[in-house]
Amino acid sequence: MQILALPVGHFEANCYLVWEQAAAMVIDPGGQPDAILAALGGRGLSVAHILLTHAHFDHFLAVPALHEATGAPVWLHSLDVDGIRLNRKSSPFSMPGFTPPADLRTLEDGSVIKAGDLAMAVRHTPGHSPGSCCFVCQNAIFSGDTLFDGDIGRVDLPGGSARAMRRTMEAIAGWTGGYDVYPGHGGSTTLSREQRRNPYLQPPYDYNL
């Protein structure tokens, strides 16, 4: 499995290209669709699926262009579907003129999305948003805005929940395996490092706003 991180958009959200041979998945195309398509084309990759860890605009703004160019279905947890479909000017996560793709499919905890030899398993990790997910493939976890290097995602945004995040952190603290972690912003880390050093993965798994 090969992984390429592309920080895109004003918030430099990490868009990940994940592939084996020519079959690829794109995770969180948050902006700069031309750059994403150029990276795919330069490697001769065919996009099988577009996956969203959650429905905040800095992770999905390039979805319409990427979907139109590739025809790949777009996957999102069912609890975040309203977040990508609604166009409310009062919400910082809604963008005027954004039209979600018609082929929007829903994920649930335990879903597995396949492309060639790749199998991306879904773990529902609410807190940053109701439908936030981590995607697990081989030795990699794509954690979106749930888990960062030394930190975790905000819970004071629309749809965020400190209570849900505490439950998620307690669950992640118990995950096992030698995983590399690829977050939605910033550099990569490892699961074992975060379990040892991240203060939010220690009891009482608290997050103070």
Side-chain angles (χ1 to χ4, degrees):
M1 179 176 68
Q2 298 188 68
I3 300 169
L4 176 66
L6 297 172
V8 296
H10 294 298
F11 292 89
E12 294 193 327
N14 288 325
C15 171
Y16 292 103
L17 311 186
V18 186
W19 75 94
E20 280 196 357
Q21 299 180 358
M25 301 192 199
V26 178
I27 298 174
D28 287 355
Q32 299 173 245
D34 290 345
I36 298 171
L37 290 168
L40 290 163
R43 291 162 176 80
L45 299 176
S46 175
V47 180
H49 300 286
I50 301 167
L51 296 95
L52 303 179
T53 59
H54 62 293
H56 287 168
F57 75 93
D58 55 328
H59 293 258
F60 69 61
L61 281 184
V63 162
L66 200 62
H67 173 67
E68 182 177 358
T70 67
V74 181
W75 296 86
L76 176 69
H77 192 278
S78 59
L79 292 179
D80 265 18
V81 167
D82 285 346
I84 199 172
R85 284 184 173 162
L86 295 180
N87 188 9
R88 297 169 298 175
K89 292 183 179 180
S90 61
S91 169
F93 303 124
S94 298
M95 304 298 289
F98 177 85
T99 302
D103 194 0
L104 182 62
R105 306 182 188 184
T106 56
L107 299 164
E108 303 296 339
D109 186 61
S111 296
V112 178
I113 307 301
K114 296 182 178 180
D117 293 332
L118 295 175
M120 197 76 67
V122 178
R123 296 190 185 183
H124 184 210
T125 52
H128 183 64
S129 73
S132 282
C133 290
C134 292
F135 301 132
V136 182
C137 188
Q138 297 181 20
N139 67 331
I141 297 173
F142 301 92
S143 60
D145 286 2
T146 294
L147 182 65
F148 302 116
D149 183 359
D151 205 351
I152 60 176
R154 294 174 62 176
V155 296
D156 59 338
L157 300 171
S161 168
R163 179 176 296 179
M165 184 64 90
R166 281 195 291 270
R167 291 195 297 266
T168 289
M169 290 303 106
E170 185 174 3
I172 293 175
W175 288 0
T176 59
Y179 292 105
D180 294 320
V181 177
Y182 297 89
H185 300 267
S188 62
T189 181
T190 67
L191 178 61
S192 61
R193 176 180 177 179
E194 297 312 302
Q195 289 172 330
R196 290 195 312 269
R197 300 183 182 181
N198 192 316
Y200 302 110
L201 291 181
Q202 317 306 319
Y205 313 103
D206 202 7
Y207 192 103
N208 295 315
L209 299 179

